[in-house]
Structure formats: structure tokens, C-alpha cells
Amino acid sequence: NAGVTQTPKFRILKIGQSMTLQCAQDMNHNYMYWYRQDPGMGLKLIYYSVGAGITDKGEVPNGYNVSRSTTEDFPLRLELAAPSQTSVYFCASSYTSGTQYQPQHFGDGTRLSIL
Amino acid sequence: GENVEQHPSTLSVQEGDSAVIKCTYSDSASNYFPWYKQELGKRPQLIIDIRSNVGEKKDQRIAVTLNKTAKHFSLHITETQPEDSAVYFCAASIVDFGNEKLTFGTGTRLTIIP
């Protein structure tokens, strides 16, 4: 099991460019999440998904889009990158079904700088 | 929505002493409280969690206590070691089918002094 895999690990973008952060999990988890972590700060939820085809906004969704076409993949799209989006982005997944629960497991993160 | 406050923001303890980090939450419906450890440049990793139907849980040198009435929970690390140095995050969630979002505290930077 690879767990949660994020690509790329590092990326530098110019203001106004777009990119997609990839996230894949092989644990058959139904929930997937995207967080951002600014330097010295906690984790803020951007978007999450409870299953394929279903996504919902978190605390800080502006400037981002997501899709969930399969159980395994949950890409995060940045349109028109802005310096305020410079951050470390973490993808996570978990499993919830009735009384069964597997807690959130995080990927290694993508460090994104917008210059 | 849920609001989680975490204290202190920084904590330094002598190696071998105990460390305590405290969190409060606002939503009385929250029923799941994990703690994550994040080493510098690494991903958050779950170290212990507790459900609202228990008051305390231990795993070797770490323990978590929960007071539902007061809506606060704490992480206790005993016999601290240098490898315990990291940032620790508490979180709260309502774990229920169809609703599982964690709200994180702002983190505590723990430094173990050799």
C-alpha cells in the first residue's frame, strides 16, 4: 500500500498561471480532502469529497476547484494563481461507513510557491 | 461551525519531564478527537485519538483525556524524549455516516531540551 500519493512535491508558478495538484489513494477510502497549511499555521480545509462524483466546499475554497471521477483520485485545480496561494497543500483520505471508521491519513504534501 | 482552540502555542520541557497540551471545542455534537504530530517538513501523522464515549485513552507514553461537559481534551506525553520535538495539532469532528470533517487547532510547537 502506497497510502496517499501527491504529485508534484514542489512547484513554482507565475502569477496568473494554472495547475493541477494530483492526489491518489489506494486504501479504498471513500472520503478525500484537500488542506492548505501556511507557514507556522494550522490546516485549513479547502474542499472535500464523500465519494466519487460528490464534492463540497470547506473553509477556504475560493480560487480552487476539485473533481472526483473515481474513488482513488481527487485532483485540486488552481486557476489564475495568486501569491496568496503560496502554501503547502496536503491531501488526505479516510473511511466512514456506519460504525466503521478509519481516521484521516495524509499525503506528503505539495509545496507551491507563486511568484 | 466547529471552533477548536489549542494552548499553548509553544512549549519547552526538559527531557524526561511530562508535556501537556490542551484544546477546547465549541460544538457539543463533536464526538471524535484525534491528535496529529507533524515533524518539520513532514506530513501530519495520527498519534492517538479518542471517541466521546470514553474519558481517557493511553498508548505507551502518550495519553488523551476528554471532558465532554467542559468541552475540552488534552494530550499528555510522559518521559519525553528528543524525538518528541514536533508540532502537535488537536482536532475535533462529528464522525457520522455522511459527515466527517476535521477542524484543527492552531498547533503547539513542542521542544524537548536535552
Side-chain angles (χ1 to χ4, degrees):
Chain A
N1 272 0
V4 179
T5 302
Q6 291 185 238
T7 56
K9 294 190 186 305
F10 306 93
R11 184 72 184 268
I12 298 174
L13 282 182
K14 293 182 180 179
I15 295 171
Q17 287 186 320
S18 301
M19 78 163 294
T20 300
L21 282 65
Q22 301 292 344
C23 175
Q25 55 91 10
D26 62 358
M27 297 175 284
N28 204 29
H29 284 177
N30 49 355
Y31 281 69
M32 294 188 75
Y33 313 81
W34 275 105
Y35 295 90
R36 61 177 286 173
Q37 185 176 36
D38 297 334
M41 304 295 285
L43 293 142
K44 294 188 176 181
L45 184 65
I46 305 171
Y47 271 97
Y48 69 104
S49 168
V50 304
I54 306 169
T55 62
D56 208 347
K57 296 178 181 178
E59 182 184 358
V60 289
N62 291 344
Y64 307 94
N65 279 300
V66 293
S67 60
R68 184 104 180 264
S69 57
T70 68
T71 301
E72 295 78 16
D73 300 298
F74 190 41
L76 177 72
R77 176 100 179 143
L78 277 73
E79 304 281 4
L80 298 175
S84 60
Q85 293 178 305
T86 294
S87 192
V88 179
Y89 291 83
F90 287 101
C91 179
S93 69
S94 67
Y95 180 81
T96 301
S97 179
T99 58
Q100 294 185 47
Y101 176 68
Q102 294 177 21
Q104 288 192 29
H105 184 87
F106 285 79
D108 288 331
T110 294
R111 292 183 180 275
L112 181 62
S113 294
I114 316 295
L115 303 176
Chain B
E2 176 66 277
N3 182 49
V4 176
E5 294 188 358
Q6 183 171 348
H7 300 281
S9 56
T10 60
L11 178 62
S12 296
V13 301
Q14 210 69 34
E15 181 178 353
D17 288 350
S18 295
V20 180
I21 303 170
K22 299 182 179 182
C23 288
T24 60
Y25 61 99
S26 61
D27 190 343
S28 57
S30 289
N31 59 5
Y32 175 68
F33 307 93
W35 286 89
Y36 285 83
K37 175 183 180 182
Q38 187 177 31
E39 297 176 359
L40 189 62
K42 301 286 185 67
R43 61 187 167 94
Q45 291 193 292
L46 180 72
I47 55 171
I48 195 167
D49 56 8
I50 192 168
R51 297 289 192 110
S52 59
N53 57 349
V54 298
E56 185 175 5
K57 183 177 178 181
K58 289 183 179 179
D59 183 3
Q60 299 183 333
R61 296 187 297 108
I62 60 172
V64 56
T65 58
L66 171 65
N67 183 327
K68 285 189 296 182
T69 304
K71 291 191 283 188
H72 68 70
F73 56 111
S74 301
L75 177 71
H76 304 254
I77 306 174
T78 59
E79 301 173 9
T80 53
Q81 300 169 4
E83 54 265 36
D84 294 330
S85 293
V87 178
Y88 291 81
F89 292 97
C90 63
S93 173
I94 302 170
V95 175
D96 199 354
F97 185 70
N99 182 5
E100 199 265 291
K101 293 186 294 180
L102 288 175
T103 300
F104 284 86
T106 50
T108 296
R109 183 174 300 279
L110 175 63
T111 302
I112 307 302
I113 305 166

